[in-house]
Amino acid sequence: MNLDYKYTREYDVVVCGLGSAGFTAAVMCGRLGLRCAAVEKYHMPGGVMTVLGNNSIDQFNNPFADGDKLVITGIGWEFVNRLAAMGGAAIPDMDAEYKYHWQYGVKVNPTLAASLMNDMLIEAGVDLYYGQGAADVVCSDACSDGDSCRDDNNGVKLRRIDGVAISTKSGLALLRADNFIDCTGDGDLVAYSGFDYLTGDDGVVQPGSIHGGGKVIELACHASDSDRLTLDEIAARRKLASAGADSSLCAPAIAPRESRRAVCQVMMNSDDYMNGVVYPDSVAYTFWFIDIHREGREAVIRYLRSPRTPTIRLGAMLPVGAENLIVAGRCVGSDRETNSAIRVKSSCMAMGQAAGAAVYTAKRRGVRLCQTADDANIAEVKRILKSSGARVPE
């Protein structure tokens, strides 16, 4: 890209997307003393939870675990407890006898949730860019060590992101940083940078949900294809109108379930997920069932009912060939079944916090972000997570 930017600003880290993953990533980075910018296309944080109408945060606990059943803590758990103290969240009994997974969802007041998110981001010293989505990236074919730099894991030549172009009311501006966190859900930075990704099942993606007037309708949502998404959004309003929904209460966009998945150093698989396998680079717990929605057909569901809690691997958050980019949220590296389970908000919160810890580790130890899942660095990532209140797989 060769443009005159309205301004250029410098940071240690830029977080793109302020849904559940981006929120905790930015708070974590700010609390660790990193100069952090957070970019969000909507005009408030929270994504699906606050903007798009799904106000349930699932699932912080494993109801089948022996002893303490709370498996996701840290910034996300702090957030819901602070929100509850304000009267903005209903936290169910996480030790209650299991009847169904969704009984443990934390229901939030979207307005109070967005307000508290803003407070926590500002408290952490994060610079906020609302209504200013990422439009493109500036990449370098050479990594920080020169043209010959290669990824030790697979021999792929590394490339680095130098900056993210954002769309402001004054025109395009450039945010430069040492590292970047893609929490867009759709893997926008991955795509803009030319790194590899997968989309659904050979391009076929799960339907999304449109919320409006007390009604929820599932329909096609091609979140990573703007032309098709435009038609999907037109159809969404027509369907809500024909269902008698009050359009004044309609969410501004379809809430997507699936789009891009980054091709990462590790691609998590459903066998490991269902069996609760823990790897040396496992940095967060997650607990939700495999849940693939299909238009006009019954969903593919495989329930979790095991004391063994699935985990998220840091290697699944590091795109192949990227020196200084990490992903968090539903665009992490996994097969489709695993992706359908880890996309829920509490898991995204855990991933976001882990991404922030990885960025801080890279900065503190003077290593590339792509190396933070290595044996030499993963212990430091886990130490930082534990010290910030997160529960880390052992």
Side-chain angles (χ1 to χ4, degrees):
M1 179 181 277
N2 184 20
L3 295 172
D4 291 327
Y5 297 104
K6 295 301 179 181
Y7 59 79
T8 298
R9 294 174 182 166
E10 305 277 346
Y11 292 94
D12 293 321
V13 58
V14 172
V15 178
C16 289
L18 269 178
S20 296
F23 161 66
T24 56
V27 170
M28 183 69 164
C29 288
R31 288 181 176 180
L32 291 170
L34 298 175
R35 291 174 297 124
C36 178
V39 173
E40 171 54 50
K41 67 179 180 180
Y42 295 119
H43 289 76
M44 63 180 181
V48 171
M49 173 173 52
T50 60
V51 181
L52 301 185
N54 183 336
N55 71 329
S56 182
I57 307 178
D58 302 304
Q59 175 177 354
F60 289 96
N61 67 323
N62 176 353
F64 306 100
D66 299 326
D68 189 355
K69 301 184 185 307
L70 200 64
V71 294
I72 297 176
T73 54
I75 294 169
W77 188 240
E78 173 195 341
F79 163 72
V80 298
N81 279 278
R82 287 179 63 171
L83 191 59
M86 296 167 54
I91 302 176
D93 182 0
M94 297 295 175
D95 293 320
E97 182 180 355
Y98 173 85
K99 295 180 181 178
Y100 33 75
H101 277 57
W102 45 90
Q103 78 188 70
Y104 304 106
V106 177
K107 304 299 189 294
V108 307
N109 176 313
T111 301
L112 292 180
S115 179
L116 178 58
M117 284 180 157
N118 281 330
D119 289 345
M120 291 177 68
L121 289 160
I122 292 167
E123 288 167 6
V126 178
D127 285 358
L128 299 172
Y129 294 81
Y130 287 147
Q132 303 174 71
D136 205 347
V137 298
V138 176
C139 279
S140 171
D141 287 333
C143 77
S144 57
D145 286 351
D147 291 337
S148 63
C149 179
R150 293 188 179 276
D151 182 346
D152 294 335
N153 289 318
N154 50 34
V156 175
K157 186 174 180 180
L158 291 172
R159 297 171 63 227
R160 67 180 283 109
I161 298 176
D162 296 319
V164 169
I166 62 172
S167 178
T168 80
K169 292 297 185 182
S170 301
L172 288 179
L174 185 66
L175 303 181
R176 297 175 60 87
D178 297 325
N179 293 292
F180 297 83
I181 306 178
D182 188 343
C183 297
T184 60
D186 299 323
D188 288 343
L189 295 193
V190 171
Y192 298 165
S193 305
F195 299 119
D196 291 337
Y197 59 84
L198 305 171
T199 304
D201 182 9
D202 292 329
V204 177
V205 295
Q206 298 178 61
S209 296
I210 185 73
H211 294 249
K215 299 183 183 298
V216 182
I217 295 174
E218 284 198 356
L219 76 168
C221 179
H222 298 90
S224 60
D225 183 330
S226 294
D227 290 338
R228 296 178 73 181
L229 182 59
T230 297
L231 300 177
D232 297 339
E233 295 285 7
I234 293 170
R237 273 75 195 171
R238 285 177 178 159
K239 290 188 176 184
L240 278 177
S242 65
D246 180 352
S247 61
S248 67
L249 300 175
C250 182
I254 302 169
R257 286 187 174 87
E258 179 180 33
S259 54
R260 302 185 185 104
R261 308 190 307 277
V263 175
C264 291
Q265 295 176 12
V266 167
M267 298 297 284
M268 294 184 294
N269 66 78
S270 58
D271 287 341
D272 285 354
Y273 185 86
M274 295 300 292
N275 289 313
V277 177
V278 177
Y279 285 91
D281 68 336
S282 292
V283 288
Y285 285 116
T286 173
F287 199 85
W288 192 249
F289 54 91
I290 289 172
D291 181 21
I292 301 177
H293 290 234
R294 302 185 294 180
E295 280 192 87
R297 293 185 291 167
E298 189 175 344
V300 175
I301 292 177
R302 294 170 61 193
Y303 286 111
L304 275 172
R305 294 189 175 96
S306 170
R308 297 187 300 274
T309 306
T311 66
I312 304 290
R313 299 183 63 180
L314 186 59
M317 299 167 62
L318 297 168
V320 170
E323 179 188 0
N324 62 337
L325 174 65
I326 188 168
V327 299
R330 62 183 167 83
C331 54
V332 299
S334 65
D335 63 18
R336 195 178 186 221
E337 285 193 326
T338 304
N339 182 261
S340 75
I342 63 176
R343 60 181 171 79
V344 296
K345 301 178 192 69
S346 60
S347 299
C348 289
M349 289 176 171
M351 284 185 261
Q353 188 165 352
V359 169
Y360 179 74
T361 295
K363 180 81 171 177
R364 184 172 181 273
R365 295 174 68 92
V367 300
R368 304 183 196 110
L369 183 55
C370 63
Q371 296 174 317
T372 52
D374 295 353
D375 291 343
N377 299 309
I378 191 64
E380 179 68 1
V381 175
K382 292 184 176 184
R383 185 194 67 77
I384 293 165
L385 282 168
K386 289 177 184 176
S387 68
S388 64
R391 188 151 293 172
V392 178
E394 300 291 356

